Amino acid sequence: MKTNEIPVAVIGLGLMGSSIVTCLLIAGHPVVALAPLSSDLLFAEKRITDHLEKAFKNRIIPHTPDYYLKNLLITEDYSELFACKLVIECTIEDIDVKESVYKKAEAVIASDALLVSNTSAIPISQLQKLTSHPERFLGLHWTEPAHTTRFLEIICGDDTNISYGEYLYELSHQWGKEPILVRKDIAGFITNRLMYAMYREAIHLVENGYATVEDIDRSCRNNAGYFMTFVGIFRWMDLTGVPAYHTVMKNLLPTLHNSSEVPELISKIVEEGGKGIANSKGFYDYEPGEAAMWQKTFSEFAYEIREIALRYPADIVKQKLRQQQQQQNQ
């Protein structure tokens, strides 16, 4: 697949949209970055340029930002989407907003173009009913920052032609991803279902006095955080002994929290206007300047953890076995 021959578009240029644009530029695509809101234009170019500058500084890309920016068109004009083979909607989680975007996009794009959504909450099977070509509609669930992380979920809805999911699965390897192809639509997809089960249990433990917020975070960092970049949960159980997990599950699973209600702890934060790092009001108290420092530190960490992850890809052992066999055969 020659990415320079596949023009793509991103509609919505907030934090996530800007990093998705950056990822696609790095991969070699001509990119149309469309701002559905004029306010997006105030920051999009600077965000994308900053991402490219940091990527160059961290040796992720071999060229300076200008090399990639020449393939970028930032616009508010939907007619510029006419040549795009892939259109990525990256707007707020509001069905009415998304439907409006789909209608405007489908009025100008080719009937064989793929239209996808970066939604993390709305079922793809529901969104594709708002489109003229549901068989060509899929989900692409990214994580921030999109240009450094290896994560990507490709989600097929009930009416999606699976061959398009397989096409995006192959193409996304050109984006530096280790993609997940979700062949059957399910609420929350794969990663969010796993993570929200953990969030629910974590909040339950804090609310009931078993541990503090700091204790929970420390536990995650030094247990799951210790091995997650190396392997996932199934390989971890293989490495550390499957029977032990079977034994623990018998006694522990019945005690895990299973409420369907949103926990009071997080509801209180939101009701009081807390947004976390964005406004220094969240599960933690932040001193002046501390939230901004956390954001800066996270940006630096994203590059460092990427280097480690690249040294240990999913098939690291198979690669080593092949190298050993080649050496033995020489």
Side-chain angles (χ1 to χ4, degrees):
M1 295 180 178
K2 296 182 179 180
T3 52
N4 65 331
E5 298 177 358
I6 306 174
V8 299
V10 177
I11 304 176
L13 303 178
L15 288 174
M16 178 61 79
S18 295
S19 66
I20 293 174
V21 168
T22 305
C23 176
L24 298 171
L25 287 172
I26 290 173
H29 292 280
V31 180
V32 175
L34 193 146
L37 299 174
S38 296
S39 57
D40 281 358
L41 296 175
L42 297 175
F43 306 103
E45 186 171 3
K46 183 180 186 307
R47 282 183 182 140
I48 295 164
T49 302
D50 286 349
H51 285 326
L52 289 169
E53 287 176 349
K54 289 178 181 177
F56 179 69
K57 180 181 178 182
N58 285 275
R59 295 181 293 184
I60 289 180
I61 55 177
H63 306 289
T64 59
D66 288 345
Y67 177 88
Y68 304 93
L69 291 172
K70 66 185 180 183
N71 285 325
L72 173 65
L73 171 65
I74 300 178
T75 182
E76 293 181 86
D77 186 358
Y78 276 82
S79 68
E80 296 288 355
L81 305 179
F82 75 97
C84 294
K85 302 297 183 184
L86 170 65
V87 177
I88 303 169
E89 170 267 311
C90 190
T91 62
I92 61 173
E93 296 289 69
D94 184 299
I95 290 181
D96 292 335
V97 170
K98 293 182 185 297
E99 182 175 18
S100 173
V101 166
Y102 300 156
K103 290 186 183 303
K104 292 176 183 177
E106 289 192 314
V108 294
I109 63 176
S111 60
D112 62 349
L114 297 183
L115 180 61
V116 306
S117 176
N118 180 51
T119 182
S120 59
I122 305 174
I124 298 304
S125 299
Q126 182 178 353
L127 290 178
Q128 66 185 180
K129 297 185 186 303
L130 308 176
T131 69
S132 301
H133 301 281
E135 74 282 359
R136 305 186 73 87
F137 186 91
L138 304 94
L140 278 183
H141 182 209
W142 308 67
T143 193
E144 180 71 14
H147 60 291
T148 62
T149 52
R150 306 283 289 167
F151 172 82
L152 184 71
E153 284 182 315
I154 302 158
I155 307 101
C156 297
D158 293 344
D159 299 323
T160 303
N161 184 325
I162 188 67
S163 66
Y164 300 129
E166 293 168 344
Y167 166 76
L168 289 177
Y169 180 85
E170 295 300 326
L171 178 61
S172 64
H173 285 84
Q174 303 292 322
W175 305 340
K177 303 301 179 185
E178 289 185 8
I180 305 159
L181 179 55
V182 185
R183 295 173 176 269
K184 293 171 59 178
D185 194 14
I186 185 170
F189 318 135
I190 304 304
T191 303
N192 273 347
R193 293 183 73 88
L194 295 172
M195 292 304 302
Y196 277 83
M198 191 191 323
Y199 298 152
R200 179 172 63 183
E201 186 65 28
I203 292 175
H204 169 74
L205 293 171
V206 173
E207 286 185 331
N208 287 272
Y210 295 103
T212 65
V213 166
E214 292 88 350
D215 289 330
I216 298 297
D217 279 354
R218 196 173 298 116
S219 172
C220 292
R221 291 179 64 241
N222 295 317
N223 185 16
Y226 171 73
F227 67 81
M228 278 292 191
T229 299
F230 178 50
V231 292
I233 55 175
F234 290 108
R235 184 80 71 183
W236 181 245
M237 287 190 286
D238 275 354
L239 279 169
T240 53
V242 175
Y245 293 93
H246 181 266
T247 299
V248 172
M249 284 180 183
K250 291 179 181 179
N251 298 319
L252 184 59
L253 293 187
T255 74
L256 297 179
H257 191 53
N258 63 357
S259 172
S260 60
E261 300 296 323
V262 177
E264 182 180 348
L265 178 59
I266 191 171
S267 293
K268 185 173 184 294
I269 293 171
V270 174
E271 289 165 5
E272 294 176 353
K275 298 180 180 179
I277 290 292
N279 65 353
S280 299
K281 296 179 181 179
F283 292 102
Y284 286 88
D285 295 323
Y286 295 91
E287 298 175 6
E290 186 180 358
M293 184 58 70
W294 270 108
Q295 194 65 54
K296 180 177 182 295
T297 304
F298 172 64
S299 177
E300 295 168 353
F301 171 79
Y303 290 98
E304 293 171 3
I305 195 69
R306 182 180 186 274
E307 290 182 10
I308 295 174
L310 288 174
R311 291 207 303 268
Y312 297 94
D315 60 352
I316 182 67
V317 171
K318 289 183 179 179
Q319 290 182 9
K320 289 184 176 181
L321 283 173
R322 283 195 291 268
Q323 290 173 356
Q324 288 181 357
Q325 291 169 353
Q326 290 173 355
Q327 292 173 356
Q328 291 172 357
N329 293 332
Q330 287 177 354

